[in-house]
Amino acid sequence: MFEKTLSDLIQGLRANKRNESEYIQRSLSEIQHEVQQSDMRQKSVAVDKLNYLHMLGYDMNWASFNVVEVMASSRFGEKRAGYLAAEQSFHQETDVLMLTTNLIRKDLASSNVMEISVALNGLAQVATADLAQDLLDDVLAAVGHSRPYIRKRALVCACRLVIKYPEGLREFVPLLKDRLDDADPTVVASAVGVICELAHTNPQNYLPLAPKLYRLLTTSSNTWMLIKIVKLFAWLTPIEPRLAKKLHGPLSHLVSTTAAMSLLYECINTAVVGGIIDVQLPAVDSVGREMDFAELCARKLQLFYESRDHNLRYVGLVTLAQFQRRRPELVAAHYGTVLRCLDDPDMSIRMRAIEAISGMTTRKTLVGTVKRLMSQLILSNTVALQQANAKSDTMDYSESSDTQAMPLVDASGTSMVTAQGSIVSQRSSAGPDVADNPEYRLAVVEAIISMCSHQTYTNLTDFEWYVATLTDLVYIAGADVDERLSERFLDVTVRVRQVRAFSLQMARRLLSDTHLVERAASFGGQKGNNALMLGTAAYLLGEYCELQPANSDDIHLLLPAGLTRLPEDQQGMFVLAAHKVYANWLRHASEYWNADTWEQVRSVTTQMQQLLSERILGSDILPGGTVASRMSLLPLQTSSRVRLLVESLKLVSVTTSNMTDTAPPVCLELNALFKAYELNPVSAAAQGKVPIPDTLDLDTFIGDVIPDTTAKVMPPPSPPPKQRAATATSRQRKESKAKDPYYLPSVDDIPVVEL
Amino acid sequence: MTIKYIFLVSRQAKIRLVKWYTMLSQKEKAKTMKEVSQLVLARKPKQCNFIEHRDTKVVYRKYASLYFVAGIGLDDNELLMLEIIHRYVEVLDRYFGNVCELDLIFQFQKAYFILDEMIMAGELQESSKKTVLRVIAQQDETEAVENSERGWGDIKYVFANLTHAIYIIARIHIYVFLMYSTLANLVDTY
C-alpha cells in the first residue's frame, strides 16, 4: 500500500548518493514485486520507475510483458506511461512486440484522439518489419482521419513503417500525393517532410510532384516547410537539369529577402549541391541590382564565414569548400578571409578551412599558404621535440640543437625560426594548442601535399623549394606521413630532371643525420619512424649518383651502423645503392689510373669489406659460424644483394692486388651492371598496350617433360589441352579411381566380416 | 531532417533525458552516449556548436547547467537543428514556468511527453508552441480527471503529493533561511 512513487524513487536516489547501487538494487526488487500485482495503477507506477532506471542505464527487458500489460490499460495516463516505456526499452528483437499488434490496432481505431496519437507515436518508434506489415493498413486509414492532428502524425508514422516494409510504398505514395493538396497547412508540411525523407533514396518517383512543390515554394511563408522543400529540390535537380532554370527565380528571391540564416544556408546549399550555380543565370539582388545567381550566392555566403558567430563560420566554410570546387573564380577574392580562419582556436573550423583552402590555392598563393601551415606545425612541435630530446640521454648535443634549428630552412638556406628560445617561451605560455592534435597534423600535411601536387604540379614554380619542404616535413610532421612523403619525394625527383641534383643534396642531408637514422633503426618496423623516407633517399642517391661528382663518402652514409635493424626493404635498398655508388666511383677513378688512384681503390675496397663484415655480417650482429651461414640469416633481398657486393669487392681486390699500368677491366665494367642506358618511368597501362604475338603458345612445354616423381602418391598430371580428349579424361579418372585404395565403386563392395 | 538521437546531459555527465530515433543495441547506445557526452563536455564556450562524430553531426547547446545534445545525419541542416532545440527549450520553459534542471529531474515524464509532441520519428512535427502546450494541457486534464475518479481510496497518491509538497515547502524555507542569514551577515558587517 505504501509503495514508493516515482518522486520517492528519485528523491531517494538523490539522498543516497553514496550507496546508490544498493539503493537501486533494493528498489529493483521492490519493483519486481509490484509489477506482478494485478492493480493497474501500481503496475503503471512500477513501469514508470523502471523507465527512470532504464534511463540511468539499468536493463528493464525482463519486464517487457508487464509493459505491454500497462499499454493495454483503459486509462489514458497509464496507457501513455506504458507506451513511453515501450519506446524507450523495446528493440527489434523484443519478442513481446508480437503481442502488441492487436493492441495497437485497437488503439488506432479508438475514438479518443489522444489515444490514437499515442499509439501512432509508439508504433513509429518500435516498428519491426512484421508489425509494419500488419498495421500498415490501419495507419493508412488514419491518414484519412477527420482531424488534421491525426493526419499529420499518421503520415510520418506510415513513412517509418514503409521504410521497414518497402512493399507498402506502392499503397502509400498515392495517399501521400493527395495529402499535398490538403486544406490544413500543417498536414501539407508534414507531407512535404515525408516526401523529402523518401526522395533521399529514390528521387525519380517524386519528380512528377515538382510542379506542386514549386507552387508551394513560391506561395508559402512557413520557414520550416520552405527549408524542407528547398532540400527536396536539391535531391531532384541533379536528375532533372531543367529544374535548375525554373528554380533560380524563387531561390534568388528567398536568398535575397529572407532573414532566417538557416533558410539562407539551405538555399545556398541546394544551389551548390544541385548544380544550379554551374550555369549563368540572372538574379535580382535585394537592392534590385541584376547579377548572376551564383554571384549572389557567393556574396551571401561571404556573410557566413565573415561573421563573428562561430556556428555561421563553420557552416559557411563547409559550403565554401563545395562552392569553390564548381565556381572557383567567384570565391578567389576571399582567400585572405579563409586564410585567417586557419588560425581559429576551434579545431572543427580549422579542419574545414583547410579543406576549403586546399582547392583554392593558386600559383601566387601556394608558397605563402604552405609556409603558414608549416609554421603552425612547428610552433607546437618545437615543444614536443624539446621534451623528447630532454628525455633521451644518448644525445650528442650538437646534433640535438641541429635538429631543432633545422625546421623551416628555406631552399636559399635562410631559417625562419630565428631565436629558438623566444619561440619556445611563446609556446609555453599559450597552453595546449589545436595543432597538437595528431588528426589535425595529418590533415595539414596531407593538405600541403595535395595543394602542391594539384593537377601534377601546375601550381608549383620552384621545385627545389618543394623538395626542401618535403624534407622539412620529415622533421616537423609529428604524424605518420612517412609513406606519402617518400612517395612524393620519389615522384618529383624522377619526373623533374632539373631538381634531381638538389634532391640528392637533400637525400644526403637526411642520411647524414645520424639521429634520424638511429631512430629509424631502433623503431624497426613500427610506424612513426622515417625508414621509408630514408630508403627512398638511399635509392635516389644510388640511382642518380652520376649527377654528382663521384664521392666515396656516400658509401659510408649508405652502410650505416644500424643497417640490419632497419626494415627489410630498406636494408636491401641501402645495400644496392651502396653498390651502385661504389661502381660509379670506381669507373671514374679508373679513368685516371695512376698509383694514387690504385691506393685509393684498394683502401676504399678494403674499407667497404670491413664495413660489411662489421655491420652486416659481424658476429656480434648475427650468430652463427661461418660468414656464409650468417649471410643466410639475413632477409632474402638483403642477402642476395650483399652477396653480390661481397663478390664484386672480392673481384676488385683480387685484380688490384698488384699495381698495374692501366685499370683492370673489371673496374671499368662493373658500372655496366647498373648503367647501360637511362631508364625512363613507364606508365602503369603500358603493358596492356603491347600486342600479343600470334606465334605465342603458352600451353606447350618448352623443353622435355619433367618426370613427375610424385605420380605414386597423386594421380598423374593431365597432358596439355591440345592433346586432351574427353575420353582420355574419363579414362584417366577411372584409372585413378582404380588406383585409389579408398574409393569403392558400389555399396556391395564393402567387405562385411562375420564376427 | 533525420534526427538520430536527443539527450540532455548535466555538467557532471549525468543523463537527464534520452530519446533514440534509430534502432541500436543497448551497448551501442551506451557507447555513443558516453563518447558524445565526453566530446560535448570538453568544449569551450567560444567554440562552435557542431562536432563531427563518426557518421553523425552532433549539435549541442548549453542552457544554464544542462547540455542539450542532438545527433543528425551528414546531409542535414545544423542551423535548423539548433533552432529545433531552442524551440523545445522554449516550450519547456513555458510549460514549467522558468524551467530549471530540478524540474526536469522530477518531472522527466512530462519532458518526454512534450518532446514526443514536438518530434516524432526523428522529424519535427509541431513547430507551434501554442499547439504543443494546448495538447499537453489536454492530456494533463484527462489524466487528472482519471485520477480523481479513483477518489480517496488511493491514500498513497495523497501521500506522494504530500511528501512532494513538504519537500517544496522545505526548500522554500531553506531559501528564506539562507537569505535571512546573508542579510544578517550584511547587517553585522555594518
Side-chain angles (χ1 to χ4, degrees):
Chain A
M1 174 77 154
F2 292 99
E3 297 90 357
K4 291 205 280 279
T5 65
L6 184 57
S7 323
D8 295 336
L9 176 66
I10 301 177
Q11 273 169 284
L13 212 56
R14 285 166 72 82
N16 287 355
K17 281 212 178 99
R18 254 160 293 154
N19 48 345
E20 224 178 72
S21 48
E22 293 165 31
Y23 183 75
I24 292 183
Q25 290 306 323
R26 252 185 298 144
S27 319
L28 272 175
S29 50
E30 282 175 21
I31 293 172
Q32 229 171 342
H33 186 71
E34 285 168 25
V35 115
Q36 314 286 355
Q37 305 294 324
S38 52
D39 182 18
M40 196 50 83
R41 170 100 210 145
Q42 281 184 21
K43 256 207 252 268
S44 78
V45 170
V47 162
D48 270 347
K49 287 195 270 188
L50 266 183
N51 205 1
Y52 183 73
L53 290 176
H54 176 79
M55 192 171 77
L56 295 179
Y58 292 88
D59 179 45
M60 67 180 271
N61 281 323
W62 49 269
S64 317
F65 183 69
N66 307 101
V67 169
V68 175
E69 282 182 334
V70 176
M71 272 162 73
S73 155
S74 53
R75 289 183 207 280
F76 175 69
E78 289 153 17
K79 192 188 280 286
R80 193 167 61 159
Y83 268 102
L84 182 64
E87 285 165 29
Q88 294 294 98
S89 63
F90 285 4
H91 51 85
Q92 295 282 295
E93 279 95 40
T94 311
D95 35 8
V96 296
L97 273 178
M98 288 183 283
L99 300 172
T100 58
T101 319
N102 272 326
L103 168 63
I104 299 179
R105 188 170 287 153
K106 198 161 65 85
D107 282 332
L108 283 175
S110 145
S111 53
N112 186 346
V113 167
M114 293 191 285
E115 281 185 9
I116 304 182
S117 81
V118 161
L120 282 172
N121 206 350
L123 180 58
Q125 192 75 10
V126 300
T128 59
D130 296 324
L131 267 183
Q133 199 171 355
D134 292 333
L135 292 170
L136 186 61
D137 295 321
D138 303 274
V139 174
L140 289 180
V143 171
H145 200 270
S146 52
R147 297 280 295 271
Y149 178 71
I150 296 296
R151 285 206 294 273
K152 83 177 153 135
R153 283 173 185 266
L155 277 173
V156 178
C157 181
C159 174
R160 265 297 161 107
L161 292 183
V162 155
I163 291 175
K164 295 274 181 208
Y165 175 59
E167 286 91 1
L169 194 58
R170 248 178 303 123
E171 295 165 20
F172 180 44
V173 170
L175 282 177
L176 184 60
K177 294 187 180 173
D178 288 336
R179 287 299 128 215
L180 272 182
D181 299 322
D182 195 287
D184 191 299
T186 51
V187 178
V188 176
S190 182
V192 167
V194 169
I195 296 179
C196 190
E197 180 76 29
L198 293 174
H200 192 28
T201 43
N202 195 351
Q204 199 65 35
N205 279 350
Y206 306 98
L207 208 43
L209 293 172
K212 265 195 217 171
L213 293 168
Y214 182 80
R215 191 170 37 87
L216 283 171
L217 181 65
T218 42
T219 52
S220 161
S221 62
N222 179 356
T223 321
W224 307 89
M225 185 163 83
L226 282 174
I227 293 182
K228 282 268 158 59
I229 299 183
V230 167
K231 193 190 212 123
L232 185 52
F233 274 120
W235 301 122
L236 294 178
T237 321
I239 53 176
E240 179 56 73
R242 285 174 297 171
L243 271 179
K245 293 208 193 71
K246 294 208 126 183
L247 276 178
H248 81 273
L251 267 185
S252 63
H253 175 74
L254 280 175
V255 164
S256 38
T257 53
T258 185
M261 289 308 238
S262 41
L263 181 56
L264 183 57
Y265 171 52
E266 194 68 46
C267 290
I268 299 182
N269 205 16
T270 301
V272 170
V273 167
I276 303 179
I277 54 169
D278 289 345
V279 285
Q280 292 271 6
L281 293 166
V284 179
D285 194 6
S286 46
V287 287
R289 267 179 305 164
E290 282 258 337
M291 62 165 66
D292 181 26
F293 180 58
E295 209 181 306
L296 176 63
C297 286
R299 200 167 297 188
K300 287 288 173 179
L301 199 55
Q302 199 180 354
L303 281 177
F304 276 87
Y305 52 79
E306 282 183 358
S307 105
R308 304 194 64 97
D309 184 353
H310 286 84
N311 297 334
L312 294 179
R313 232 194 274 185
Y314 177 81
V315 157
L317 283 174
V318 169
T319 322
L320 183 65
Q322 296 192 329
F323 197 99
Q324 61 86 23
R325 238 171 269 161
R326 295 164 190 250
R327 295 287 290 269
E329 68 275 10
L330 287 173
V331 290
H334 304 307
Y335 194 72
T337 327
V338 184
L339 211 56
R340 257 176 285 137
C341 288
L342 274 180
D343 292 327
D344 198 291
D346 185 359
M347 163 136 148
S348 328
I349 293 188
R350 271 205 205 185
M351 299 276 273
R352 292 294 172 183
I354 289 184
E355 209 182 299
I357 283 236
S358 314
M360 275 169 72
T361 45
T362 63
R363 244 173 236 207
K364 291 185 223 141
T365 51
L366 180 66
V367 178
T369 318
V370 173
K371 276 201 186 147
R372 202 172 170 138
L373 284 173
M374 284 182 55
S375 64
Q376 274 186 356
L377 283 181
I378 284 203
L379 285 180
S380 64
N381 198 39
T382 323
V383 178
L385 260 183
Q386 207 190 27
Q387 286 175 348
N389 288 339
K391 285 186 193 142
S392 69
D393 28 301
T394 56
M395 282 303 301
D396 191 8
Y397 274 105
S398 61
E399 223 82 65
S400 67
S401 57
D402 209 28
T403 21
Q404 277 187 353
M406 278 236 253
L408 268 208
V409 174
D410 262 339
S412 54
T414 54
S415 167
M416 276 179 68
V417 176
T418 50
Q420 201 182 319
S422 64
I423 297 286
V424 171
S425 60
Q426 203 179 36
R427 282 297 307 131
S428 54
S429 58
D433 188 29
V434 174
D436 289 334
N437 188 330
E439 208 181 289
Y440 177 69
R441 297 181 84 91
L442 192 61
V444 167
V445 173
E446 291 199 5
I448 293 178
I449 293 178
S450 73
M451 269 195 277
C452 295
S453 47
H454 186 60
Q455 287 174 353
T456 56
Y457 310 110
T458 41
N459 286 335
L460 215 45
T461 47
D462 185 4
F463 281 96
E464 292 189 0
W465 169 82
Y466 182 49
V467 171
T469 316
L470 284 176
T471 38
D472 287 334
L473 279 175
V474 170
Y475 287 107
I476 67 172
D480 183 24
V481 288
D482 196 28
E483 201 179 310
R484 273 173 272 267
L485 287 178
S486 60
E487 257 176 51
R488 290 287 132 216
F489 195 24
L490 189 61
D491 195 46
V492 154
T493 315
V494 168
R495 277 179 201 258
V496 183
R497 272 167 208 269
Q498 291 86 346
V499 81
R500 280 180 194 167
F502 186 74
S503 294
L504 287 184
Q505 249 185 330
M506 287 289 123
R508 203 170 277 139
R509 198 180 96 181
L510 278 176
L511 285 169
S512 45
D513 183 3
T514 51
H515 178 221
L516 204 59
V517 176
E518 259 313 303
R519 214 157 35 123
S522 49
F523 286 126
Q526 286 176 18
K527 297 220 170 157
N529 59 349
N530 294 304
L532 278 169
M533 195 65 182
L534 290 172
T536 317
Y539 170 73
L540 288 173
L541 260 184
E543 189 66 20
Y544 300 113
C545 51
E546 41 189 35
L547 291 177
Q548 303 260 321
N551 194 350
S552 61
D553 298 333
D554 284 347
I555 303 177
H556 289 267
L557 281 181
L558 288 167
L559 291 174
L563 185 61
T564 44
R565 283 177 284 147
L566 286 174
E568 289 178 13
D569 295 337
Q570 276 67 44
Q571 281 183 40
M573 265 193 245
F574 270 75
V575 172
L576 188 61
H579 202 172
K580 285 185 197 169
V581 171
Y582 175 65
N584 186 35
W585 175 81
L586 203 54
R587 187 174 71 82
H588 275 279
S590 315
E591 283 172 8
Y592 309 102
W593 193 259
N594 55 27
D596 291 328
T597 48
W598 176 73
E599 284 291 332
Q600 267 187 337
V601 167
R602 278 209 64 84
S603 69
V604 168
T605 313
T606 39
Q607 255 182 6
M608 278 188 75
Q609 283 176 320
Q610 248 181 349
L611 276 177
L612 273 181
S613 58
E614 271 174 21
R615 292 181 175 177
I616 301 183
L617 303 169
S619 47
D620 52 334
I621 297 180
L622 293 170
T626 61
V627 171
S629 65
R630 268 181 259 143
M631 196 139 38
S632 59
L633 288 174
L634 289 172
L636 195 61
Q637 277 183 1
T638 328
S639 71
S640 60
R641 290 174 185 178
V642 165
R643 213 175 299 236
L644 195 60
L645 188 52
V646 163
E647 291 302 318
S648 18
L649 285 175
K650 251 195 250 178
L651 195 56
V652 172
S653 64
V654 157
T655 52
T656 56
S657 46
N658 298 315
M659 171 65 186
T660 53
D661 291 331
T662 58
V666 74
C667 299
L668 288 165
E669 294 308 313
L670 200 58
N671 200 29
L673 275 178
F674 303 115
K675 288 285 185 257
Y677 46 79
E678 170 137 358
L679 289 172
N680 289 321
V682 176
S683 89
Q687 179 64 50
K689 294 186 187 160
V690 175
I692 303 177
D694 293 328
T695 52
L696 184 67
D697 181 12
L698 292 171
D699 296 324
T700 46
F701 282 91
I702 299 176
D704 299 330
V705 178
I706 303 170
D708 192 6
T709 48
T710 58
K712 293 197 195 108
V713 181
M714 292 190 312
S718 49
K722 277 205 186 131
Q723 301 163 15
R724 187 187 295 173
T727 47
T729 35
S730 55
R731 209 186 331 119
Q732 263 186 338
R733 246 186 273 136
K734 281 191 196 143
E735 280 174 23
S736 63
K737 277 190 190 157
K739 288 184 194 158
D740 187 352
Y742 296 111
Y743 177 73
L744 293 169
S746 72
V747 179
D748 300 335
D749 286 347
I750 302 177
V752 178
V753 176
E754 298 284 352
L755 293 168
Chain B
M1 169 107 284
T2 34
I3 306 175
K4 298 196 181 171
Y5 53 82
I6 293 183
F7 62 90
L8 273 56
V9 60
S10 78
R11 256 209 300 245
Q12 288 81 29
K14 286 222 150 86
I15 307 281
R16 296 295 175 207
L17 186 146
V18 61
K19 187 88 190 183
W20 283 85
Y21 295 104
T22 53
M23 283 289 183
L24 287 177
S25 77
Q26 188 66 14
K27 246 198 326 181
E28 283 176 30
K29 285 184 189 175
K31 195 164 83 121
T32 313
M33 275 206 307
K34 202 163 83 118
E35 285 175 7
V36 175
S37 317
Q38 272 175 345
L39 280 174
V40 167
L41 290 169
R43 298 287 274 186
K44 300 195 210 61
K46 279 280 189 169
Q47 292 176 318
C48 72
N49 297 56
F50 314 122
I51 313 174
E52 273 147 54
H53 169 77
R54 309 240 189 108
D55 56 350
T56 45
K57 292 193 209 180
V58 176
V59 180
Y60 73 94
R61 190 169 252 181
K62 186 160 186 250
Y63 289 91
S65 61
L66 212 49
Y67 287 89
F68 283 67
V69 183
I72 54 177
L74 290 173
D75 298 322
D76 290 325
N77 190 340
E78 302 97 325
L79 297 175
L80 191 59
M81 191 64 226
L82 268 184
E83 296 204 14
I84 295 179
I85 293 179
H86 192 65
R87 193 51 73 96
Y88 179 51
V89 173
E90 280 180 350
V91 172
L92 282 177
D93 195 45
R94 192 78 79 79
Y95 180 77
F96 287 108
N98 270 341
V99 64
C100 63
E101 195 178 336
L102 226 47
D103 288 324
L104 291 177
I105 295 174
F106 277 96
Q107 308 204 44
F108 75 98
Q109 281 187 307
K110 290 282 161 45
Y112 271 112
F113 296 144
I114 296 177
L115 185 62
D116 283 339
E117 269 307 308
M118 288 185 67
I119 299 178
M120 186 165 113
E123 298 274 342
L124 180 71
Q125 278 305 294
E126 188 59 67
S127 54
S128 150
K129 281 183 280 197
K130 270 191 260 190
T131 321
V132 174
L133 290 168
R134 191 169 37 88
V135 172
I136 296 285
Q138 254 183 332
Q139 290 182 345
D140 284 344
E141 238 183 77
T142 322
E143 197 173 350
V145 163
E146 279 176 3
N147 288 333
S148 68
E149 274 170 8
R150 288 173 156 268
W152 288 94
D154 202 339
I155 308 177
K156 171 179 62 72
Y157 198 70
V158 173
F159 259 116
N161 281 348
L162 210 55
T163 38
H164 193 54
I166 294 175
Y167 174 78
I168 291 181
I169 296 172
R171 212 171 64 165
I172 297 176
H173 272 137
I174 292 172
Y175 285 159
V176 168
F177 177 70
L178 280 172
M179 267 190 351
Y180 182 72
S181 58
T182 46
L183 274 174
N185 282 338
L186 283 172
V187 167
D188 283 338
T189 50
Y190 279 111

